[in-house]
Each structure stands twice: as structure tokens, then as C-alpha cells.
């Protein structure tokens, strides 16, 4: 079974050290990291209450940090026009099997997280290796970098 969900890998996952350029001290950045906030994206999605609970950050500092992060990362809704524009930029990676490609309407979607699950010894890992090979050998000249990630977890 395959499940696709839209995932935008963009500038959102910039490290918190980017905040130094915006005037936030190293000590405050370290406090955020110590409390499990590692990226600008996760900071922008944090609640004020969450930041207020961090020891050593007063309310004014927390609000300043949060507003800087939200300016850096657009959080919220998107228009249908923007969604369709993003969708047009996506492409499909062939599974090297025409029958599966037809079922998936062209292959595995780019810019998305794809979950593959099933019983043990059914070829899930082999399928992922085939996708990596397909992405490397197909001519996606418009793709600047060809990076693949396989997360494999047992149990």
C-alpha cells in the first residue's frame, strides 16, 4: 500500500542559527534547541505558550523570536492558485514497471513523502532501491540535485 502526502522541502527547514543574523543571541538560540526546537519552521509553528514555558525567555523575547520566525516562514493557508502552481512543478518518478506506473498515474510523485508498507519479505526495500536507480538513470535534467532518502524501520 502506498500513501502520498504533500511535502515541500524548501527553505523552511533552515537551522535556528539563521536567527543570529536577525539579532537573537546564541544563548537564546541554545535555549530553543535545548527545548526541542531545531529549525525556523518548527519555531514558526510553536505556540506562544510553548515559548513562554522556556526558562530564561521572557514574554517580550519569546514574542520577538516568534514574530521573526513567522516573517521568515509563511505559516497558514495557501490559495488554490498557489497550490496548482506547485502541483505543476511536480513530476513522477517511474517504478520501471508500466503496470505499477499506470496504477500510480505516472509513478511516485516528486516533492512528497511516500510511505510503503506491507508484510515482511514482500519486496518493500527492493522497491525503494529500484526507485533510487530510476531517479538516477532517468533524465530529470531540470532537477538540480538528485538526492534520495530511504527511511527503513523494522518494528
Amino acid at each position: 500500500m502506498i500513501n502520498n502526502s504533500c511535502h515541500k522541502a524548501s527553505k523552511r527547514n533552515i537551522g535556528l542559527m539563521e536567527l543570529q543574523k536577525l539579532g537573537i543571541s546564541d544563548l537564546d538560540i541554545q535555549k530553543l534547541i535545548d527545548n526541542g526546537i531545531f529549525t525556523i519552521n518548527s519555531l514558526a509553528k510553536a505556540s506562544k505558550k510553548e515559548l513562554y514555558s522556556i526558562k530564561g525567555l521572557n514574554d517580550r523575547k519569546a514574542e520577538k523570536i516568534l514574530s521573526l520566525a513567522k516573517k521568515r516562514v509563511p505559516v497558514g493557508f495557501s490559495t488554490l492558485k498557489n497550490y496548482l502552481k506547485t502541483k505543476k512543478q511536480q513530476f513522477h518518478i517511474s517504478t520501471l514497471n508500466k503496470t505499477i506506473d499506470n496504477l500510480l498515474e505516472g509513478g511516485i510523485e516528486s516533492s512528497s513523502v511516500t510511505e510503503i508498507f506491507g508484510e515482511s519479505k514482500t519486496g518493500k526495500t527492493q522497491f525503494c532501491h529500484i526507485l533510487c536507480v530510476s531517479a538516477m538513470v532517468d533524465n530529470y535534467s531540470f532537477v538540480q540535485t538528485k538526492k534520495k532518502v530511504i527511511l527503513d524501520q523494522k518494528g
Side-chain angles (χ1 to χ4, degrees):
M1 184 56 115
I2 296 173
N3 177 27
N4 280 333
S5 62
C6 188
H7 172 73
K8 205 171 189 180
S10 67
K11 294 180 181 178
R12 292 181 179 195
N13 290 325
I14 297 169
L16 289 177
M17 292 316 209
E18 186 72 20
L19 290 174
Q20 283 177 323
K21 297 175 187 174
L22 302 173
I24 305 301
S25 72
D26 290 340
L27 185 62
D28 290 337
I29 292 172
Q30 189 58 49
K31 288 174 190 172
L32 294 170
I33 292 170
D34 292 343
N35 283 277
I37 299 174
F38 301 102
T39 64
I40 298 277
N41 190 34
S42 60
L43 176 59
K45 292 179 181 178
S47 67
K48 286 183 181 180
K49 184 178 180 182
E50 194 176 342
L51 292 182
Y52 292 162
S53 69
I54 296 174
K55 288 185 180 180
L57 280 185
N58 61 38
D59 295 354
R60 195 167 29 107
K61 261 190 201 178
E63 286 182 26
K64 179 184 176 186
I65 291 171
L66 191 57
S67 75
L68 287 172
K70 285 187 177 183
K71 285 179 187 174
R72 194 88 168 97
V73 177
V75 177
F77 294 98
S78 177
T79 64
L80 179 60
K81 185 177 180 179
N82 288 340
Y83 172 76
L84 292 175
K85 182 180 172 185
T86 303
K87 196 76 171 158
K88 283 182 184 177
Q89 295 171 346
Q90 290 181 338
F91 56 94
H92 290 84
I93 300 170
S94 172
T95 62
L96 302 179
N97 182 314
K98 288 183 182 183
T99 306
I100 295 174
D101 283 349
N102 287 336
L103 284 170
L104 297 173
E105 299 176 356
I108 302 293
E109 258 186 17
S110 67
S111 301
S112 64
V113 175
T114 303
E115 181 180 5
I116 301 170
F117 60 93
E119 293 293 320
S120 178
K121 308 280 185 212
T122 56
K124 300 176 297 292
T125 302
Q126 186 64 34
F127 183 72
C128 291
H129 289 250
I130 290 169
L131 286 175
C132 287
V133 168
S134 174
M136 293 302 288
V137 298
D138 279 352
N139 187 18
Y140 302 117
S141 58
F142 51 89
V143 178
Q144 292 178 352
T145 58
K146 292 183 177 181
K147 294 182 181 178
K148 285 116 222 91
V149 175
I150 298 176
L151 300 176
D152 192 358
Q153 180 183 355
K154 295 184 177 161

